[in-house]
C-alpha cells in the first residue's frame, strides 16, 4: 500500500521534472529561433489576430462585469464607513495591479491555451510536423515563434484594454448608482495610480503571455496516441497554464513588493 | 547514394530494426517490401533524420545523417523528399501552398514561377487545376497524390515513397508507377519505395529488398526475387497464409 503510494509519487515527481526539462529546452529553442533571421511577419500578424483581436469580445464582457462587481462589493462596505469616494482608488489599484493581468491571462489561457495544443497536436499525430521537418523547415521557428511573439505582444495590450474597460464598469456603477460625481471619480482613480502599478501589471501580462505560448506549444508537440492524446494535451495545457500563471503572479508580486516597496 | 549500416532501433523494448544494412546506388530505384508493422516507415524516417538510430549509421551522399549540424541537415533535406504514408498535407493551407511549400520557404523564385511549378507537379499526378481546394476537400487517394506532387515539386535528388499507391485507384496507381519510372529514367532520381503492391514492385524496381524481423533477409533484382527459393520471401510475394511467417495467422485463429 505505502510502497505503491511512494512509487506513484516518485513517478509523478519524475514526470513533473521531465515536463520542466522539456519546457526549458523548448523555451531556449524558441528564444533562439525568435532572434534568428529570417523573420516571418505574416505568421505573427495572423497569430496576433487569433490570440489578441479575437479575444476582445470576451475580454470586454468579463472586464466590464468585474468592474461592476468590484464597485458593488467595495460599495457595500465603503458606504457603511462613509467613504464611497475611495471606491474609485481601490478598484483602480485592484484592476491595474492584479485583476486585469490575471483575468486576461486566464481568459487567453482558456482560449489560446486550448487551441494551440489541439492544432499542433493534430499536426503531430498526422505527421504534419514531421513533414515540415523533411521540407527543411524548423517546426519551432515555423509554429512556436509566431505564437510566442504574438502572445507576448498581445497579452500586455489586452491587459491594458481590460484595465480601461474594468475601470469604466466601476465608473458606471459609482456614478449612476452610488452618486459619486464624474470628476471626483476620475480624480480618485488617477491620484491612486502610479506608473509603477501600471508597469508591474503589464510586466506580469508579458510573462503570462510567454508562459501560455510555451506551455501550450510544448503540450501540442508532445501529444502521444491519437485523438485521446490531443484531448489530454489540451486539458493539460490549460491546467498547467493556469497553475503557472498563478504561481508566476505570486512570485512576481512578491518580487516587486521587495524591490519597489 | 544511401548507405544504411547495421542500423538498430528499439521502441519500448520492441526491437524494430535489428542491425539492418542496405545500400541504394545513385539513380537506382529500390523497393522495400515487408509485413505491415515490420518497420519500413521507421527505416525511411531514419534516412531523413526524423528518428535517431540507437546504433548503426545512415549515410546519405556520404554524410552521416544523425551527426549533421542544423545547417547541413537543412541542406540535405532540400535534396530529399519524403511522401508520407498518410500524406501529411498541411490542413491549414490550400493545395497550391502545400505543394509549393518547399519553394516558398526556401527559394527566391518568383510567385509566378512557383505557381507554374506547382501546376506542373499537380498535372504530373493527374490533379491539375485543384490548387485552390483545401486538403479536407480531397479524397484519401487524391491526398496521396498531392503529397506526391509536393515531393517532386522541389526537384529532389532522392525521393522516399511510403506506400505511394496504397489507397489509390488502379489507374492512378499505374500512372504513379509510370511517374516513378520516368523520374528514374529521365532525371536519375534515387528512389526508395515502400510498397505492398507486388505488381508495381516488379514494374518499377531495379532492386527489391525484403524486410523481415528487423533485417533485410533478401535483396535482388525483380527476376531474382520472383524466382527465389527462400520460403519466407516466397510466402510473402505470393501472399500465402501458410508458410514460415505465422504470427498474424496464429492470432486470427
Ligand atoms: N514513434 C513510435 N513509438 C513507438 N513505437 C513505434 C513508433 N513508430 C513505430 N513504432 C513501432 O514500430 C513498428 C514498425 O512500425 P512502422 O510504422 O515502421 O511499420 P510499417 O512497416 O511501416 O507498417 P505498415 O506497412 O503497416 O505501414 C510498429 O510495431 C510500431 O508499433
Ligand atoms: Mg508504414
Amino acid at each position: 500500500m505505502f510502497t505503491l503510494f511512494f512509487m506513484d509519487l516518485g513517478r509523478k515527481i519524475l514526470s513533473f521534472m521531465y515536463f520542466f526539462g522539456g519546457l526549458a529546452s523548448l523555451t531556449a529553442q524558441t528564444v533562439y529561433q525568435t532572434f534568428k533571421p529570417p523573420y516571418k511577419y505574416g505568421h505573427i500578424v495572423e497569430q496576433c489576430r487569433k490570440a489578441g483581436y479575437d479575444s476582445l469580445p470576451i475580454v470586454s464582457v468579463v472586464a466590464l462585469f468585474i468592474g461592476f462587481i468590484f464597485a458593488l462589493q467595495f460599495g457595500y462596505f465603503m458606504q457603511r464607513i462613509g467613504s464611497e469616494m475611495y471606491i474609485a482608488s481601490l478598484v483602480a489599484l485592484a484592476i491595474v495591479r492584479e485583476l486585469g493581468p490575471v483575468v486576461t491571462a486566464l481568459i487567453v489561457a482558456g482560449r489560446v491555451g486550448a487551441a494551440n495544443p489541439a492544432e499542433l497536436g493534430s499536426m503531430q499525430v498526422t505527421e504534419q510536423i514531421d513533414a515540415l521537418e523533411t521540407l527543411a523547415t524548423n517546426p519551432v521557428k515555423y509554429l512556436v515563434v509566431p505564437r510566442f511573439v504574438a502572445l507576448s505582444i498581445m497579452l500586455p495590450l489586452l491587459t491594458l484594454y481590460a484595465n480601461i474597460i474594468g475601470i469604466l464598469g466601476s465608473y458606471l456603477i459609482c456614478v449612476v448608482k452610488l452618486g459619486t460625481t464624474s470628476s471626483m471619480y476620475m480624480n480618485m482613480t488617477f491620484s491612486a495610480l502610479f506608473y509603477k502599478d501600471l508597469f508591474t501589471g503589464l510586466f506580469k501580462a508579458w510573462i503570462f503571455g510567454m508562459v501560455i505560448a510555451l506551455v501550450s506549444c510544448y503540450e501540442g508537440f508532445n501529444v502521444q496516441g491519437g485523438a485521446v492524446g490531443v484531448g489530454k494535451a489540451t486539458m493539460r495545457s490549460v491546467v498547467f497554464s493556469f497553475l503557472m500563471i498563478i504561481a508566476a503572479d505570486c512570485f512576481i508580486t512578491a518580487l516587486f513588493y521587495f524591490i519597489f516597496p | 547514394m544511401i548507405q544504411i549500416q547495421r542500423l538498430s532501433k528499439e521502441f519500448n523494448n520492441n526491437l524494430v530494426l535489428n542491425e539492418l544494412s542496405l545500400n541504394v546506388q545513385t539513380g537506382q530505384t529500390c523497393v522495400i517490401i515487408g509485413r505491415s508493422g515490420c518497420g519500413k516507415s521507421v527505416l525511411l524516417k531514419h534516412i531523413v533524420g526524423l528518428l535517431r538510430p540507437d546504433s548503426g549509421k545512415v549515410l546519405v551522399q556520404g554524410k552521416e545523417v544523425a551527426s549533421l549540424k542544423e545547417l547541413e541537415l537543412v541542406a540535405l533535406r532540400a535534396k530529399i523528399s519524403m511522401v508520407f504514408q498518410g500524406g501529411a498535407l498541411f490542413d491549414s493551407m490550400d493545395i497550391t501552398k502545400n505543394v509549393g511549400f518547399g519553394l516558398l520557404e526556401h527559394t527566391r523564385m518568383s510567385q509566378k514561377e512557383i505557381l507554374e511549378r506547382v501546376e506542373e507537379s499537380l498535372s504530373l499526378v493527374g490533379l491539375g487545376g485543384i490548387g485552390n481546394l483545401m486538403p479536407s476537400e480531397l479524397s484519401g487517394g487524391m491526398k496521396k497524390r498531392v503529397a506526391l506532387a509536393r515531393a517532386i515539386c522541389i526537384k529532389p535528388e532522392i525521393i522516399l515513397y511510403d506506400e505511394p499507391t496504397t489507397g489509390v485507384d488502379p489507374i492512378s496507381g499505374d500512372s504513379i508507377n509510370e511517374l516513378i519510372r520516368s523520374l528514374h529514367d529521365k532525371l536519375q532520381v534515387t528512389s526508395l519505395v515502400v510498397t505492398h503492391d507486388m505488381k508495381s514492385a516488379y514494374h518499377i524496381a531495379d532492386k527489391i529488398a525484403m524486410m523481415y524481423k528487423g533485417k533485410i533477409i533478401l535483396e535482388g533484382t525483380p527476376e531474382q526475387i520472383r524466382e527465389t527459393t527462400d520460403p519466407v520471401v516466397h510466402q510473402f510475394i505470393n501472399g500465402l497464409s501458410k508458410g514460415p511467417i505465422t504470427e498474424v495467422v496464429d492470432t486470427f485463429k
Side-chain angles (χ1 to χ4, degrees), chain B residues 39 57-58 66 74 81 94 106 118-119 122 132 142 148 154 181 188 194 200 203 214 220 226 229:
Chain B
K57 288 188 212 174
V58 178
V74 167
S81 279
D94 66 11
H106 298 295
V118 167
E119 199 50 42
L122 280 173
N132 43 22
M142 285 162 92
L148 193 61
I154 60 167
R181 275 202 78 125
Q188 279 78 46
V194 167
S200 100
H203 184 58
R226 209 193 302 254
T229 50

Side-chain angles (χ1 to χ4, degrees), chain B residues 159-172:
Chain B
I159 307 185
L160 311 175
Y161 303 86
D162 201 342
E163 306 193 9
T165 53
T166 312
V168 172
D169 69 87
I171 300 172
S172 304

Side-chain angles (χ1 to χ4, degrees), chain A residues 7-185:
Chain A
M7 267 167 68
D8 199 46
L9 189 71
R11 209 171 288 134
K12 287 246 162 63
I13 291 174
L14 269 182
S15 78
F16 195 66
M17 279 158 57
Y18 185 81
F19 171 79
F20 273 102
L23 196 61
S25 139
L26 180 67
T27 307
Q29 286 178 55
T30 307
V31 171
Y32 169 71
Q33 295 287 350
T34 302
F35 291 105
K36 197 180 131 201
Y39 308 111
K40 302 269 172 196
Y41 298 109
H43 296 304
I44 295 178
V45 172
E46 157 98 12
Q47 290 301 326
C48 282
R49 188 184 57 71
K50 277 194 195 162
Y53 183 75
D54 292 352
S55 300
L56 281 179
I58 171 116
V59 170
S60 312
V61 172
V62 172
L64 193 68
F65 279 122
I66 284 184
F68 289 165
I69 293 165
F70 268 70
L72 291 169
Q73 295 284 32
F74 282 138
Y76 166 75
F77 180 70
M78 300 305 256
Q79 274 181 320
R80 274 205 321 222
I81 58 168
S83 338
E84 291 98 321
M85 61 181 199
Y86 289 109
I87 297 174
S89 314
L90 279 176
V91 168
L93 281 178
I95 287 187
V96 170
R97 288 182 63 96
E98 187 63 38
L99 286 167
V102 172
V103 170
T104 312
L106 293 183
I107 293 172
V108 173
R111 287 188 78 239
V112 184
N116 282 347
E119 187 176 340
L120 301 194
S122 8
M123 288 184 75
Q124 174 72 46
V125 298
T126 54
E127 295 184 312
Q128 290 177 51
I129 292 185
D130 285 346
L132 268 183
E133 280 200 55
T134 60
L135 289 160
T137 301
N138 185 312
V140 172
K141 172 125 200 134
Y142 192 79
L143 297 168
V144 184
V145 168
R147 289 169 166 80
F148 178 75
V149 174
L151 276 177
S152 49
I153 298 172
M154 290 325 275
L155 214 61
L157 291 181
L158 276 175
T159 299
L160 198 61
Y161 173 78
N163 291 345
I164 295 169
I165 299 289
I167 290 175
L168 176 76
S170 151
Y171 169 90
L172 289 178
I173 295 288
C174 287
V175 172
V176 175
K177 199 84 186 93
L178 306 178
T180 319
T181 63
S182 177
S183 60
M184 178 73 152
Y185 191 95

Side-chain angles (χ1 to χ4, degrees), chain B:
Chain B
M1 171 144 124
I2 304 169
Q3 293 156 291
I4 300 163
Q5 297 168 353
R6 300 168 67 87
L7 179 65
S8 296
K9 181 72 183 180
E10 179 179 315
F11 290 108
N12 326 318
N13 294 327
N14 168 15
L15 189 60
V16 178
L17 302 179
N18 182 11
E19 304 209 332
L20 182 146
S21 299
L22 178 71
N23 286 331
V24 184
Q25 304 300 327
T26 305
Q28 200 178 35
T29 298
C30 173
V31 169
I32 298 182
I33 56 176
R35 290 284 302 283
S36 187
C38 76
K40 303 180 296 295
S41 301
V42 169
L43 177 63
L44 292 190
K45 285 184 185 169
H46 278 91
I47 299 173
V48 279
L50 288 173
L51 291 173
R52 298 187 137 264
D54 291 341
S55 68
K57 288 188 212 174
V58 178
L59 297 143
V60 177
Q61 299 185 336
K63 299 197 186 94
E64 191 187 341
V65 178
S67 64
L68 289 180
K69 302 242 166 33
E70 195 188 332
L71 279 181
E72 297 170 306
L73 192 60
V74 167
L76 181 71
R77 282 172 173 169
K79 291 187 258 176
I80 307 184
S81 279
M82 175 150 173
V83 183
F84 283 84
Q85 193 166 1
L89 300 180
F90 305 122
D91 42 30
S92 58
M93 304 171 204
D94 66 11
I95 301 303
T96 306
K97 287 231 180 68
N98 261 289
V99 176
F101 189 88
L103 299 178
L104 283 167
E105 289 288 312
H106 298 295
T107 63
R108 295 184 183 282
M109 285 168 70
S110 73
Q111 200 77 13
K112 187 162 156 282
E113 281 174 295
I114 293 180
L115 278 179
E116 273 167 19
R117 185 83 83 73
V118 167
E119 199 50 42
E120 180 196 0
S121 312
L122 280 173
S123 27
L124 275 176
V125 295
L127 288 174
I130 63 156
N132 43 22
L133 295 183
M134 297 300 282
S136 57
E137 297 173 275
L138 303 185
S139 75
M142 285 162 92
K143 281 184 197 155
K144 205 70 170 262
R145 282 144 72 198
V146 172
L148 193 61
R150 179 171 72 186
I152 59 180
C153 192
I154 60 167
K155 303 235 157 113
E157 293 166 24
I158 299 172
I159 307 185
L160 311 175
Y161 303 86
D162 201 342
E163 306 193 9
T165 53
T166 312
V168 172
D169 69 87
I171 300 172
S172 304
D174 193 52
S175 55
I176 289 175
N177 290 332
E178 288 306 322
L179 179 66
I180 296 175
R181 275 202 78 125
S182 75
L183 289 170
H184 167 262
D185 296 343
K186 289 188 201 133
L187 301 171
Q188 279 78 46
V189 175
T190 310
S191 305
L192 201 53
V193 187
V194 167
T195 188
H196 289 299
D197 178 356
M198 289 314 299
K199 191 171 138 248
S200 100
Y202 292 135
H203 184 58
I204 59 180
D206 293 319
K207 168 161 110 176
I208 296 180
M210 164 98 189
M211 228 175 124
Y212 184 61
K213 295 198 168 157
K215 288 187 192 299
I216 300 291
I217 52 163
L218 185 70
E219 53 183 296
T221 61
E223 289 71 40
Q224 287 169 332
I225 295 290
R226 209 193 302 254
E227 257 102 66
T228 182
T229 50
D230 184 306
V232 175
V233 180
H234 180 263
Q235 182 193 355
F236 184 86
I237 61 178
N238 293 303
L240 307 174
S241 65
K242 292 204 173 51
I245 311 177
T246 50
E247 302 106 68
V248 162
V249 189
D250 285 343
T251 45
F252 274 138
K253 273 175 192 161

Side-chain angles (χ1 to χ4, degrees), chain A residues 112-113 116-117 120 151 211-221 237 241:
Chain A
V112 184
N116 282 347
L120 301 194
L151 276 177
V211 165
I212 296 169
L214 290 168
V215 170
S216 62
C217 292
Y218 174 79
E219 289 296 340
F221 276 164
S237 162
S241 299

